[in-house]
Amino acid sequence: MAEHYIASAKIQDVTISEGLLGRVSRLVKEQVLPYQWEILNDLAKDAVPDHSIENFSVAEGNDEGFPSHCIANFKIAAGDEKGDFYGMVFQDSDLAKWLEAVSYQIMSAPDPELEKTVDETIDLIGRAQQEDGYLNTYFTIKEPGNRFTNLCECHELYCAGHMMEAAVAYYRATGKDKLLKIMCRMADLIDQNFGPEENKRHGYPGHEEIELALVKMYEATQEERYLKLAKYFIDERGTKPLYFDIEFEKRNHASHFSYLYPPYGMYSNGPKYAQYHLPIREQKTFEGHAVRCMYMASGAVDVARLTGDQKLLETCRELYRNMVQRRMYLTGGIGSTPKAEMFTSDYDLPNDMVYGETCASVGMMFFTKRLLETEPKGDYADTMERALLNTCLAGMSLDGKSFFYVNPLEVDPIVSKENPDRAHVLPVRPAWFGCACCPPNLSRMITSLAEYIYTIRDNEVYLNLYMSNHAKLCLKDREIELDVLTEYPYEGLIKIQIQSDGDYSICFRIPSWSKDKWSGEINGREVVEKPEEGFVRLERSWKKGDTILLELDFEPKRVYANPRVSKDVGKVAVQCGPLVYCLEEKDNGKGLQRIYLPKEAQLQLVRRKDKLEGINEIHTKGLRLSELEEDSALYIPDALWSYETVDLVFIPYYAWANRGENEMTVWIHEK
Amino acid sequence: MAEHYIASAKIQDVTISEGLLGRVSRLVKEQVLPYQWEILNDLAKDAVPDHSIENFSVAEGNDEGFPSHCIANFKIAAGDEKGDFYGMVFQDSDLAKWLEAVSYQIMSAPDPELEKTVDETIDLIGRAQQEDGYLNTYFTIKEPGNRFTNLCECHELYCAGHMMEAAVAYYRATGKDKLLKIMCRMADLIDQNFGPEENKRHGYPGHEEIELALVKMYEATQEERYLKLAKYFIDERGTKPLYFDIEFEKRNHASHFSYLYPPYGMYSNGPKYAQYHLPIREQKTFEGHAVRCMYMASGAVDVARLTGDQKLLETCRELYRNMVQRRMYLTGGIGSTPKAEMFTSDYDLPNDMVYGETCASVGMMFFTKRLLETEPKGDYADTMERALLNTCLAGMSLDGKSFFYVNPLEVDPIVSKENPDRAHVLPVRPAWFGCACCPPNLSRMITSLAEYIYTIRDNEVYLNLYMSNHAKLCLKDREIELDVLTEYPYEGLIKIQIQSDGDYSICFRIPSWSKDKWSGEINGREVVEKPEEGFVRLERSWKKGDTILLELDFEPKRVYANPRVSKDVGKVAVQCGPLVYCLEEKDNGKGLQRIYLPKEAQLQLVRRKDKLEGINEIHTKGLRLSELEEDSALYIPDALWSYETVDLVFIPYYAWANRGENEMTVWIHEK
């Protein structure tokens, strides 16, 4: 598979300028990362997690998880302070993700002060590391004798993986290898403990993550053992006898989470929950916890790419197809139930009960980015963009101060409050979570967004995502520069200015929603090439100053679900470009579920620079089923009701829940 | 309030003959009661409860609750056998309900052999009673020192209430008072322990039931203390400081159910769960556990009726109105969530997540029967009939061998299997439950059905429910006999044959669905009276041989939900007479959620004596949204789909799930 040079762009090489994602990037830099640092250090006293709506779900747990205590755990493990471990068993990963995000931030914009903070933190991490290289504050403080005895539940390898990602990122950002060396020692220790050899444990992580991290470690250090270990974890998963059954017996059925969950709670669907129901290569559908699935598949694509494992790659592509054809919400959310935050079955996509965890859609970006590193296929980028611009962005408020863990497609605040089945569907973003995986995961994805924009294959540049940026890209044979200028996703016009002479190809994506209507020109002359697999390939001798103008279809569009999605039958959604739209009560009044969008209603795009940090609204006329009088009968002949014409205002889904508690819906009845 | 003589008919005085309910009554007598006796004695070895779909709900719990061990618990408490208590803390009530049901059965048809079994069982109960009158096998065996310390959770008063009901029923059936005396001693003990006096506990049951039972004890024994105690429990409920908070503190926060539920599980909505959030007279809506609500309201109506408490009665009527106008499914099911099996909020009636516990609809019959004992109002009887002929009957298979606890309005077996949110929605009735409240509750309601058919007020006979029967009724001034002949609910023709001369009134109900189209004649002459409050009152000097012919509207009808029920917007249901209909996959193929019923489609009633023990089908033409090809996109422009015309066959809802696992739906899209 190494016949082609394929790589994503490097963060240092791409500068995202203004526009929606430029604004979000700046927000993460200026607001979110400093705020998260305060959280990790228990300084953000006002960020009390929201417990007003009691939470039944697994991930949010019932952990009154404030303060974070994350840095404190490291200090205690290091012997710097006295105290007890506090937090989730995977609390360390919050710091790791923050370090990784900050490293990417430093790549884009050097920041000596921030670097100093990171260096001091790495010193702390070094002190928390045990003599033999072991690093995990929970086990070091609470259960030093029980290392590697409960991989199924205890996230030891997961935390290690996250810290490895941070180590590689910081090394790449600064050249400093202290954390990298720390994590090499940990990786070596894991390698000594896990593998096919008889004297080693034949296990794998309960929550995938270390697989893709080990690949990064391999790429940073060229240490073959790390790639081999990643491959081992992928290969071993789901083989019989099941390792997690064996370790469960060995520890006398002890459960780490028994304090939180009854025995029939967390692992309700057994091995599927953590994807060990089958060896990976035999899996045809994503099953179980959606985040785990994305991380597993990301690591598997990496291993397949580097080892030339076509069978494994085909498995990943089949899993991808199953997901996008049968198990993904219109918004790029995944996970149809709060119970174990998991996939359920094909076409089971309830809009009210959806989990749609922010982390899962971030994970979907990891996965699709890696698929793009194996073949240029517009569909992967379409999915990446669907996740990014809808669910991922919705995961954070416009001011960067509050976050969604769950991203519903239908919310009624009264029902969320009074019906415990819907308690996970918060109508307003809380400031933090007891289980705080999502906010720092968003941060590391946003700060590394540059990597997602371009893929380079030999001397071809693939434009996967459109946003204004300046890029300096290393092709196989040359370095080139180019500028992209656009207001996308608020308009369809994209200008690409070539800054380097030479023979190479610019391949721009025609998103599936624009495939029937788009136009391109180079220096005023029409592009005649047709898209193949979603990309139009312009192979030219480029001159500095050449300009490509691309215009995508920005007519607002109706979209329907496949009729097998029973919950969306008779309903319509509205999209414009890559953005899925929604109705909010603030704009449309109460009773959103009584609104009908007539088939013939014209959808009108209205630029609103003044609203919600700048959006396009979609205006149209709809019908609303009138309410009956207060004490009317519950069941009636239809003669009793009527419709009233209403002005409808749609806003982009990502911008919902920024104006207080209110109803929201993505799918609307069609008439 | 005692200005009128008001009473329900006596079981001994009404003989239900053939027809739907005659068949069900015979089934309970011949199949269900003997089977339940085997269960109670752990002899029904094939009745393993269904655990193939794991159950997260509270009531079904996670109790691998077979064998029942119910009789064994009594033997152990009596000292007849050695062993430990096994089962739910309210296991005793299973026997009590069976004894009550059997007593009603004996009223209708004396059965010396059965009576002998009951007498022996009563002897056993007597031996299990403690010296001071205390009776409860759980506390006697497991926690003898903890009597009355956890009323909130431990169902002590609930179990006592059920046994009191059994005692009164058996006394009325046979004149034998041994069990009645046993329960008087228990009632006396409770009376010594609870009440307003300073030296007594100021508590009330965590699960209402004893209130209505004490009223029965009062009516059987004329012991005023029992009525006073019932009133005390009603009055005390929800007063501040909250008794359950006090006892919780006293027992150091110990929770009986901690082995089953995490702290945030069972009592998730706090005091509302058991209706102690407010004093009863201040409650405006039913809140919390639906069965508890029905029992509370039933006891409250009894107390209000006997004490002339108009305020309390008005509270009950307001609660009733809130329920039928905002919180009841079309099928007469109540409880919108499996979490705590409870009411949620007005108009929140999800068809897929519904709980609709069989016991709750049985309780709704208790409640409406009592409301009819306070005023003749057809609406109460309409609701009673809705619950009886739809949810209650659906609670049992046509062969009487399996039972539903949950009665959904929409089922997809794959989703029930793969989506844990829907695990409570079983597509097939299990043979028994770990928590076996529903089957014996159905039995006692069916065996006492005669009581629901007629209400007598002075010299007026109110016909609440229509079914073939012979009745001998004690009016205020005379005893009369009459016969009802009908195939209702399979036809609208009802013939009432007068068997007694005299001046009295026959008041027949015009159900709300027939109010615009009905006719009546007496001896061939048209009835000119109009219905008032749902009843047509025929005051005559009747002669033996007089014949009333009533014809109700049996055109199949479309019915719609109030537009505030967001889940039913755009949907239609089909009803014929009192029966709600549904589509089953067996008759209509897979993909019921893709079916549309066109507005203009004619509904045709088809008699099918050969099918499902004899039903009326409703036939019509519908449209089905065609499936796309296997690997079609998940989100599409509508141009891609089409409709196919399909023959639709609706069957009565109560008869669903008698032909194996399949899809079912009550609400259908309308086009």
Side-chain angles (χ1 to χ4, degrees):
Chain A
M1 299 200 29
E3 69 268 28
H4 289 291
Y5 168 84
I6 305 191
S8 296
K10 292 194 177 60
I11 294 165
Q12 295 92 327
D13 296 346
V14 182
T15 310
I16 299 167
S17 39
E18 270 320 287
L20 173 62
L21 289 160
R23 190 187 62 73
V24 172
S25 299
R26 204 175 60 240
L27 191 68
V28 169
K29 176 186 175 185
E30 292 172 4
Q31 160 67 28
V32 181
L33 289 175
Y35 171 70
Q36 291 181 356
W37 180 243
E38 286 184 26
I39 294 272
L40 295 171
N41 285 277
D42 306 323
L43 300 169
K45 289 301 177 209
D46 55 335
V48 180
D50 184 287
H51 289 288
S52 60
I53 294 179
E54 196 161 358
N55 206 309
F56 287 80
S57 87
V58 169
E60 281 125 313
N62 196 35
D63 184 8
E64 301 275 329
F66 192 78
S68 155
H69 210 255
C70 188
I71 291 287
N73 288 336
F74 277 92
K75 287 182 179 164
I76 295 162
D80 293 3
E81 279 181 12
K82 293 239 173 291
D84 202 359
F85 178 90
Y86 176 88
M88 305 295 283
V89 70
F90 45 85
Q91 206 80 346
D92 288 3
S93 63
D94 292 352
L95 175 60
K97 286 187 212 166
W98 183 84
L99 285 171
E100 186 187 347
V102 159
S103 300
Y104 298 144
Q105 186 55 49
I106 291 171
M107 287 183 198
S108 315
D111 183 334
E113 201 183 333
L114 192 54
E115 215 172 302
K116 189 162 159 278
T117 304
V118 174
D119 287 336
E120 287 167 8
T121 307
I122 289 171
D123 291 344
L124 170 62
I125 294 169
R127 292 197 299 283
Q129 186 167 39
Q130 304 299 290
E131 290 254 319
D132 60 356
Y134 185 79
L135 179 68
N136 181 297
T137 72
Y138 173 82
F139 280 95
T140 299
I141 299 169
K142 297 279 278 191
E143 301 190 45
N146 287 337
R147 283 181 190 181
F148 304 139
T149 59
N150 188 350
L151 293 184
C152 183
E153 295 179 308
C154 286
H155 293 70
E156 243 166 327
L157 301 179
Y158 168 91
C159 286
H162 274 299
M163 200 59 89
M164 289 175 194
E165 286 202 85
V168 172
Y170 195 61
Y171 172 64
R172 295 224 150 115
T174 62
K176 296 178 186 171
D177 65 359
K178 179 164 183 180
L179 187 55
L180 185 63
K181 282 186 173 157
I182 289 169
M183 292 319 296
C184 283
R185 291 181 61 214
M186 179 61 170
D188 294 343
L189 180 74
I190 294 168
D191 185 45
Q192 287 153 28
N193 276 273
F194 293 90
E197 296 82 357
E198 215 169 298
N199 62 336
K200 293 185 180 178
R201 294 172 202 262
H202 303 156
Y204 38 87
H207 192 316
E208 302 88 334
E209 154 65 30
I210 196 169
E211 299 88 339
L212 70 88
L214 283 166
V215 169
K216 287 186 175 182
M217 291 284 283
Y218 160 72
E219 291 181 318
T221 66
Q222 296 302 313
E223 175 54 75
E224 293 275 351
R225 276 185 299 114
Y226 299 157
L227 177 59
K228 223 176 112 196
L229 185 56
K231 179 172 151 49
Y232 175 75
F233 286 141
I234 297 281
D235 291 348
E236 194 63 18
R237 188 166 213 91
T239 57
K240 299 273 159 53
L242 292 176
Y243 180 76
F244 292 152
D245 287 350
I246 296 167
E247 68 164 24
F248 185 63
E249 292 302 324
K250 274 196 189 157
R251 63 173 194 272
N252 296 319
H253 300 197
S255 167
H256 175 79
F257 287 102
S258 58
Y259 73 102
L260 269 187
Y261 316 112
Y264 52 92
M266 190 166 195
Y267 295 103
S268 57
N269 69 339
K272 280 186 179 175
Y273 173 71
Q275 304 75 52
Y276 61 98
H277 54 297
L278 283 174
I280 294 179
R281 290 171 185 78
E282 294 171 29
Q283 296 182 23
K284 308 281 181 207
T285 53
F286 277 129
E287 300 293 344
H289 187 249
V291 178
R292 280 171 169 79
C293 287
M294 294 304 103
Y295 286 21
M296 173 187 85
S298 298
V301 176
D302 281 341
V303 167
R305 174 174 57 85
L306 289 167
T307 63
D309 187 335
Q310 282 299 336
K311 165 79 184 153
L312 182 58
L313 188 56
E314 192 35 55
T315 293
C316 295
R317 289 172 179 164
E318 186 167 349
L319 289 170
Y320 170 82
R321 281 192 298 272
N322 169 259
M323 175 178 73
V324 299
Q325 286 173 3
R326 300 177 179 212
R327 298 185 175 209
M328 177 185 70
Y329 286 89
L330 181 63
T331 50
I334 45 176
S336 298
T337 165
K339 298 236 173 67
E341 310 171 327
M342 69 186 190
F343 288 104
T344 56
S345 54
D346 287 351
Y347 305 109
D348 179 32
L349 296 163
N351 297 303
D352 52 352
M353 291 294 297
V354 52
Y355 206 68
E357 185 179 341
T358 306
C359 276
S361 292
V362 170
M364 198 191 274
M365 293 185 62
F366 300 159
F367 178 36
T368 47
K369 168 176 174 285
R370 283 163 174 82
L371 287 170
L372 284 166
E373 289 168 354
T374 71
E375 56 177 343
K377 213 168 157 177
D379 191 59
Y380 300 141
D382 285 359
T383 301
M384 178 195 283
E385 186 176 50
R386 187 190 290 275
L388 170 63
L389 292 181
N390 299 292
T391 294
C392 293
L393 287 194
M396 188 165 78
S397 62
L398 293 176
D399 63 5
K401 291 182 178 174
S402 56
F403 303 89
F404 274 139
Y405 199 112
V406 169
N407 295 282
L409 282 81
E410 177 185 323
V411 175
D412 179 336
I414 295 171
V415 177
S416 288
K417 209 166 286 169
E418 300 294 338
N419 186 334
D421 295 325
R422 304 266 285 278
H424 64 292
V425 180
L426 302 182
V428 174
R429 291 173 189 82
W432 201 249
F433 298 91
C435 168
C437 53
C438 294
N441 224 358
L442 263 184
S443 296
R444 69 187 185 126
M445 182 275 287
I446 296 289
T447 51
S448 61
L449 201 53
E451 289 189 337
Y452 298 79
I453 304 177
Y454 299 102
T455 311
I456 294 143
R457 185 171 84 157
D458 299 333
N459 289 310
E460 300 164 337
V461 180
Y462 288 87
L463 278 80
N464 302 316
L465 298 179
Y466 296 118
M467 64 194 83
S468 288
N469 71 86
H470 175 79
K472 198 165 65 182
L473 301 167
C474 292
L475 311 192
K476 191 177 180 191
D477 299 333
R478 64 172 47 78
E479 196 179 273
I480 63 158
E481 291 193 40
L482 56 82
D483 285 287
V484 176
L485 296 167
T486 181
E487 294 209 42
Y488 188 95
Y490 286 123
E491 60 166 47
L493 197 68
I494 297 146
K495 188 172 173 185
I496 304 164
Q497 283 185 320
I498 303 296
Q499 304 294 0
S500 308
D501 296 352
D503 295 344
Y504 53 91
S505 300
I506 301 287
C507 309
F508 57 79
R509 178 173 63 104
I510 305 297
S512 65
W513 43 265
S514 192
K515 67 179 192 301
D516 298 327
K517 190 178 156 202
W518 64 274
S519 64
E521 45 183 69
I522 305 173
N523 301 332
R525 259 184 305 172
E526 196 183 347
V527 167
V528 294
E529 284 90 339
K530 296 284 164 241
E532 280 173 40
E533 293 285 4
F535 286 99
V536 174
R537 190 163 158 281
L538 304 177
E539 188 177 3
R540 298 283 190 283
S541 271
W542 296 101
K543 296 283 174 228
K544 181 173 161 68
D546 284 349
T547 300
I548 306 169
L549 264 187
L550 169 63
E551 183 141 28
L552 298 176
D553 182 4
F554 257 60
E555 283 290 311
K557 284 196 167 49
R558 283 152 197 269
V559 57
Y560 300 86
N562 187 307
R564 293 181 207 226
V565 182
S566 64
K567 296 300 184 190
D568 296 337
V569 170
K571 292 188 170 182
V572 59
V574 170
Q575 214 174 311
C576 179
L579 296 179
V580 172
Y581 276 69
C582 68
L583 294 178
E584 261 197 313
E585 181 185 334
K586 274 278 181 293
D587 301 307
N588 301 284
K590 273 198 190 301
L592 298 183
Q593 297 306 320
R594 284 185 284 115
I595 288 176
Y596 283 81
L597 183 61
K599 272 216 175 67
E600 64 283 2
Q602 296 296 313
L603 305 175
Q604 191 199 346
L605 204 62
V606 178
R607 190 85 179 102
R608 288 292 304 270
K609 295 206 179 195
D610 55 318
K611 186 169 176 178
L612 295 167
E613 306 282 339
I615 57 169
N616 288 340
E617 289 179 343
I618 294 173
H619 292 191
T620 189
K621 295 269 184 207
L623 294 172
R624 189 197 305 265
L625 197 49
S626 298
E627 282 194 350
L628 304 181
E629 284 181 24
E630 266 299 303
D631 285 323
S632 299
L634 195 47
Y635 301 106
I636 49 176
D638 69 340
L640 288 174
W641 64 40
S642 60
Y643 297 90
E644 56 196 4
T645 303
V646 284
D647 291 319
L648 297 183
V649 174
F650 291 81
I651 63 163
Y653 172 76
Y654 78 78
W656 88 277
N658 279 287
R659 294 173 291 170
E661 183 178 292
N662 75 163
E663 289 182 38
M664 183 276 289
T665 193
V666 168
W667 292 99
I668 308 133
H669 293 281
E670 192 174 62
K671 210 170 179 75
Chain B
M1 297 200 33
E3 69 269 28
H4 289 292
Y5 168 84
I6 305 190
S8 297
K10 293 195 177 57
I11 295 165
Q12 294 93 325
D13 296 344
V14 182
T15 309
I16 300 167
S17 38
E18 268 321 286
L20 174 62
L21 289 160
R23 191 187 62 70
V24 171
S25 299
R26 205 175 59 240
L27 191 68
V28 169
K29 176 185 176 184
E30 292 172 3
Q31 161 68 27
V32 181
L33 289 175
Y35 171 71
Q36 291 182 355
W37 180 243
E38 286 184 27
I39 295 273
L40 294 170
N41 285 277
D42 307 322
L43 299 169
K45 289 302 177 209
D46 54 336
V48 180
D50 185 287
H51 290 287
S52 60
I53 294 178
E54 196 163 357
N55 205 311
F56 288 79
S57 87
V58 170
E60 281 125 314
N62 197 34
D63 182 9
E64 302 274 330
F66 192 79
S68 154
H69 211 257
C70 187
I71 292 288
N73 289 336
F74 277 92
K75 287 183 180 164
I76 294 161
D80 294 3
E81 277 182 13
K82 292 237 172 294
D84 202 359
F85 177 92
Y86 177 87
M88 306 296 282
V89 69
F90 46 84
Q91 206 80 348
D92 288 2
S93 63
D94 292 353
L95 174 60
K97 286 188 214 166
W98 183 84
L99 285 172
E100 186 188 345
V102 159
S103 301
Y104 298 143
Q105 186 56 48
I106 290 172
M107 288 182 199
S108 316
D111 183 334
E113 201 182 335
L114 191 54
E115 216 173 301
K116 188 161 162 277
T117 303
V118 173
D119 288 335
E120 286 168 8
T121 307
I122 289 171
D123 291 344
L124 170 62
I125 293 169
R127 291 197 301 279
Q129 185 166 38
Q130 304 298 290
E131 291 254 319
D132 60 357
Y134 186 79
L135 178 69
N136 181 296
T137 71
Y138 173 81
F139 280 95
T140 298
I141 299 169
K142 296 279 277 193
E143 301 190 47
N146 288 337
R147 281 182 191 180
F148 305 138
T149 59
N150 189 349
L151 292 184
C152 183
E153 295 179 310
C154 286
H155 293 68
E156 243 166 327
L157 300 179
Y158 168 90
C159 286
H162 274 300
M163 200 59 90
M164 288 175 196
E165 286 202 86
V168 171
Y170 195 61
Y171 171 64
R172 295 225 149 114
T174 62
K176 295 179 187 171
D177 65 358
K178 180 164 183 180
L179 187 55
L180 185 64
K181 282 186 173 157
I182 289 170
M183 293 319 296
C184 283
R185 290 181 62 210
M186 179 61 169
D188 294 342
L189 180 74
I190 294 168
D191 186 44
Q192 285 152 29
N193 276 275
F194 292 89
E197 296 82 358
E198 217 170 295
N199 62 336
K200 293 184 179 180
R201 293 171 202 262
H202 304 158
Y204 39 85
H207 192 315
E208 303 88 334
E209 155 63 28
I210 196 170
E211 299 88 341
L212 71 89
L214 282 166
V215 169
K216 287 187 176 185
M217 292 283 283
Y218 160 71
E219 292 180 317
T221 65
Q222 295 302 314
E223 174 54 75
E224 293 275 353
R225 277 186 298 114
Y226 299 157
L227 176 59
K228 222 176 113 196
L229 185 57
K231 178 172 152 48
Y232 176 74
F233 286 142
I234 298 280
D235 291 347
E236 193 63 18
R237 188 165 214 94
T239 57
K240 299 273 158 54
L242 292 176
Y243 181 76
F244 292 152
D245 288 351
I246 296 167
E247 67 163 25
F248 185 63
E249 293 303 322
K250 274 197 188 155
R251 64 172 193 270
N252 296 318
H253 301 199
S255 166
H256 176 79
F257 287 102
S258 59
Y259 74 102
L260 269 185
Y261 316 112
Y264 51 93
M266 189 168 194
Y267 295 103
S268 57
N269 68 340
K272 280 186 179 175
Y273 172 72
Q275 303 77 48
Y276 61 99
H277 55 298
L278 282 174
I280 293 180
R281 289 172 186 78
E282 294 171 29
Q283 296 183 23
K284 308 280 181 208
T285 53
F286 278 129
E287 299 294 342
H289 188 249
V291 178
R292 280 172 168 77
C293 287
M294 294 303 104
Y295 286 23
M296 174 187 83
S298 298
V301 176
D302 281 341
V303 166
R305 175 174 55 85
L306 289 167
T307 62
D309 187 334
Q310 281 300 335
K311 166 79 183 153
L312 183 57
L313 188 57
E314 192 34 55
T315 293
C316 294
R317 288 172 179 163
E318 187 168 349
L319 289 169
Y320 169 82
R321 283 192 297 273
N322 170 259
M323 174 178 75
V324 299
Q325 286 173 2
R326 300 176 178 215
R327 297 183 175 212
M328 177 185 71
Y329 286 89
L330 181 63
T331 50
I334 45 176
S336 298
T337 165
K339 298 235 173 69
E341 309 171 326
M342 70 187 190
F343 287 103
T344 56
S345 54
D346 288 350
Y347 306 109
D348 180 33
L349 296 163
N351 297 304
D352 52 352
M353 291 294 296
V354 52
Y355 206 69
E357 184 179 341
T358 306
C359 277
S361 292
V362 170
M364 197 190 277
M365 293 185 63
F366 299 160
F367 178 35
T368 46
K369 168 174 173 287
R370 283 164 173 80
L371 287 170
L372 283 166
E373 289 168 354
T374 71
E375 54 177 345
K377 212 168 157 177
D379 191 58
Y380 300 142
D382 285 1
T383 301
M384 178 195 283
E385 184 175 52
R386 188 190 289 276
L388 170 63
L389 292 181
N390 299 291
T391 294
C392 294
L393 287 194
M396 187 166 78
S397 62
L398 293 177
D399 63 5
K401 292 183 177 174
S402 55
F403 303 89
F404 274 137
Y405 199 112
V406 168
N407 295 283
L409 282 80
E410 176 184 323
V411 174
D412 179 336
I414 295 170
V415 177
S416 287
K417 209 167 285 168
E418 300 294 338
N419 186 334
D421 295 325
R422 302 265 286 277
H424 65 292
V425 180
L426 302 183
V428 175
R429 292 175 188 81
W432 202 250
F433 298 92
C435 167
C437 54
C438 293
N441 225 358
L442 264 184
S443 296
R444 68 185 185 129
M445 183 275 288
I446 296 288
T447 51
S448 61
L449 200 53
E451 290 189 335
Y452 298 79
I453 304 178
Y454 299 102
T455 311
I456 293 143
R457 185 170 85 157
D458 298 332
N459 289 310
E460 300 165 336
V461 179
Y462 287 87
L463 277 80
N464 302 316
L465 298 178
Y466 295 118
M467 65 193 82
S468 289
N469 71 87
H470 174 79
K472 199 165 65 183
L473 301 168
C474 292
L475 310 194
K476 191 177 178 193
D477 299 330
R478 62 171 51 76
E479 196 179 274
I480 62 158
E481 290 192 43
L482 55 82
D483 284 286
V484 177
L485 296 167
T486 181
E487 294 210 40
Y488 188 96
Y490 287 123
E491 60 165 46
L493 198 66
I494 298 147
K495 188 173 172 185
I496 304 164
Q497 283 185 321
I498 304 296
Q499 304 293 357
S500 309
D501 297 351
D503 294 344
Y504 52 93
S505 300
I506 299 287
C507 310
F508 57 79
R509 178 172 64 104
I510 304 298
S512 65
W513 42 265
S514 194
K515 68 178 190 300
D516 299 328
K517 192 178 156 201
W518 64 274
S519 64
E521 44 183 73
I522 305 174
N523 301 333
R525 260 183 305 174
E526 196 182 348
V527 167
V528 293
E529 283 90 341
K530 298 284 164 236
E532 279 172 42
E533 293 284 6
F535 285 99
V536 175
R537 189 162 159 279
L538 304 177
E539 189 178 0
R540 297 284 191 281
S541 268
W542 296 101
K543 297 282 171 227
K544 180 172 162 71
D546 284 349
T547 300
I548 306 168
L549 264 186
L550 169 64
E551 183 140 28
L552 299 176
D553 182 5
F554 257 62
E555 283 289 310
K557 285 197 167 48
R558 283 153 195 269
V559 56
Y560 300 86
N562 187 307
R564 295 180 205 227
V565 182
S566 64
K567 296 301 184 190
D568 296 337
V569 171
K571 293 188 170 182
V572 59
V574 171
Q575 214 174 312
C576 180
L579 295 178
V580 172
Y581 276 69
C582 69
L583 294 176
E584 261 198 311
E585 181 186 334
K586 274 277 181 296
D587 302 307
N588 302 285
K590 272 197 190 304
L592 299 183
Q593 297 305 322
R594 283 184 285 114
I595 288 177
Y596 283 82
L597 182 61
K599 271 213 175 69
E600 64 284 1
Q602 295 296 312
L603 305 175
Q604 191 200 346
L605 203 63
V606 179
R607 191 85 181 104
R608 287 293 303 272
K609 296 207 180 199
D610 56 317
K611 187 169 175 177
L612 295 165
E613 306 281 340
I615 57 168
N616 289 340
E617 289 180 344
I618 295 173
H619 291 192
T620 188
K621 295 271 184 205
L623 295 171
R624 189 197 308 263
L625 198 49
S626 299
E627 282 194 350
L628 304 180
E629 283 182 24
E630 265 300 303
D631 285 323
S632 300
L634 195 46
Y635 301 106
I636 50 176
D638 70 338
L640 287 173
W641 64 41
S642 60
Y643 298 89
E644 57 195 2
T645 302
V646 283
D647 291 317
L648 297 182
V649 174
F650 290 82
I651 62 163
Y653 173 76
Y654 79 77
W656 88 278
N658 279 287
R659 294 173 292 169
E661 183 177 291
N662 74 162
E663 288 181 39
M664 184 276 289
T665 193
V666 167
W667 292 99
I668 308 132
H669 293 281
E670 192 175 61
K671 217 178 172 65

